[in-house]
Amino acid sequence: GEQVEQRPPHLSVREGDSAVIICTYTDPNSYYFFWYKQEPGAGLQLLMKVFSSTEINEGQGFTVLLNKKDKQLSLNLTAAHPGDSAVYFCAVSLYQGGRALIFGTGTTVSVSP
Amino acid sequence: EAGVTQSPRYAVLQEGQAVSFWCDPISGHDTLYWYQQPRDQGPQLLVYFRDEAVIDNSQLPSDRFSAVRPKGTNSTLKIQSAKQGDTATYLCASSFSGTTGQLYFGEGSKLTVL
């Protein structure tokens, strides 16, 4: 079945620096891709969803790149700030809606002033 | 619009005790998921339903875990004879199958088995 590898497991950056998290998946039928943020004691908050073959999406303070050819999904936190400190998970869904998500192992990001 | 609601938020048990977790999904969502998230790990699917039918329960430890969604709305996840290895946060999520696959998560039920 689908396997999702996420790296690095931990990331420490200074405020204003950028940080990159990469996920690699195995199933070429993977269809939808997500990034979630989890703050301590809180649930999973959706950051971004993508589903084109090669897509760059920009949100508030981050960029997501999907490369289906290489089966890779990345999250780039640009100009990180302390509020970005959290655990980040990528997640992959096969085919179309109503399917369970397969999650990566998570990356703990710490942003220091 | 109300989000996914879970209860209780916290549970502390001795080994061998039982516990039930309850989930109320977003109104109109036909698909409901239960995930187990051990400390410092990613969520792992236990079971999911489309309406009242189980779609996939292959990762549910069937000897002690059970989950139901009898009317296709709320759901209960029950753990019987809990073990220390069951210590984790149990996340419920819901989605509508006709859309882009986005799952909406509750805040989770944190279980500690002593």
Side-chain angles (χ1 to χ4, degrees), chain A residues 32 36 38 46 49 97-98 101, chain B residues 35 37 50 99-100 102-103:
Chain A
Y32 293 116
Y36 282 88
Q38 188 175 40
L46 180 70
K49 55 187 175 185
L101 296 184
Chain B
Y35 283 84
Q37 185 179 19
R50 176 92 18 82
T99 60
T100 58
Q102 178 180 342
L103 271 60

Side-chain angles (χ1 to χ4, degrees), chain A residues 84-99:
Chain A
D84 291 332
S85 295
V87 182
Y88 292 81
F89 294 97
C90 60
V92 175
S93 175
L94 296 177
Y95 306 110
Q96 299 183 17
R99 301 282 182 140

Side-chain angles (χ1 to χ4, degrees), chain A residues 3-22:
Chain A
Q3 294 186 39
V4 181
E5 189 179 296
Q6 184 173 343
R7 56 185 169 89
H10 301 279
L11 207 48
S12 293
V13 299
R14 289 199 177 274
E15 187 171 6
D17 287 350
S18 64
V20 179
I21 304 169
I22 295 174

Side-chain angles (χ1 to χ4, degrees), chain B residues 34-102:
Chain B
W34 284 102
Y35 283 84
Q36 180 191 59
Q37 185 179 19
R39 184 179 172 83
D40 298 330
Q41 295 185 34
Q44 296 153 15
L45 180 71
L46 290 174
V47 59
Y48 79 102
F49 300 84
R50 176 92 18 82
D51 300 318
E52 67 276 6
V54 173
I55 303 300
D56 184 354
N57 63 356
S58 60
Q59 303 304 311
L60 195 67
S62 58
D63 57 337
R64 297 184 298 107
F65 286 62
S66 62
V68 294
R69 193 187 186 201
K71 296 183 179 178
T73 52
N74 302 335
S75 177
T76 302
L77 174 70
K78 184 173 183 179
I79 305 174
Q80 293 181 318
S81 191
K83 299 181 179 180
Q84 288 187 352
D86 299 332
T87 294
T89 298
Y90 292 83
L91 297 168
C92 178
S94 69
S95 71
F96 178 59
S97 58
T99 60
T100 58
Q102 178 180 342

Side-chain angles (χ1 to χ4, degrees), chain A residues 63-75:
Chain A
T63 302
V64 169
L65 172 64
L66 171 63
N67 184 336
K68 279 195 169 184
K69 175 178 173 292
D70 294 334
K71 298 194 205 65
Q72 206 167 71
L73 176 71
S74 65
L75 173 68

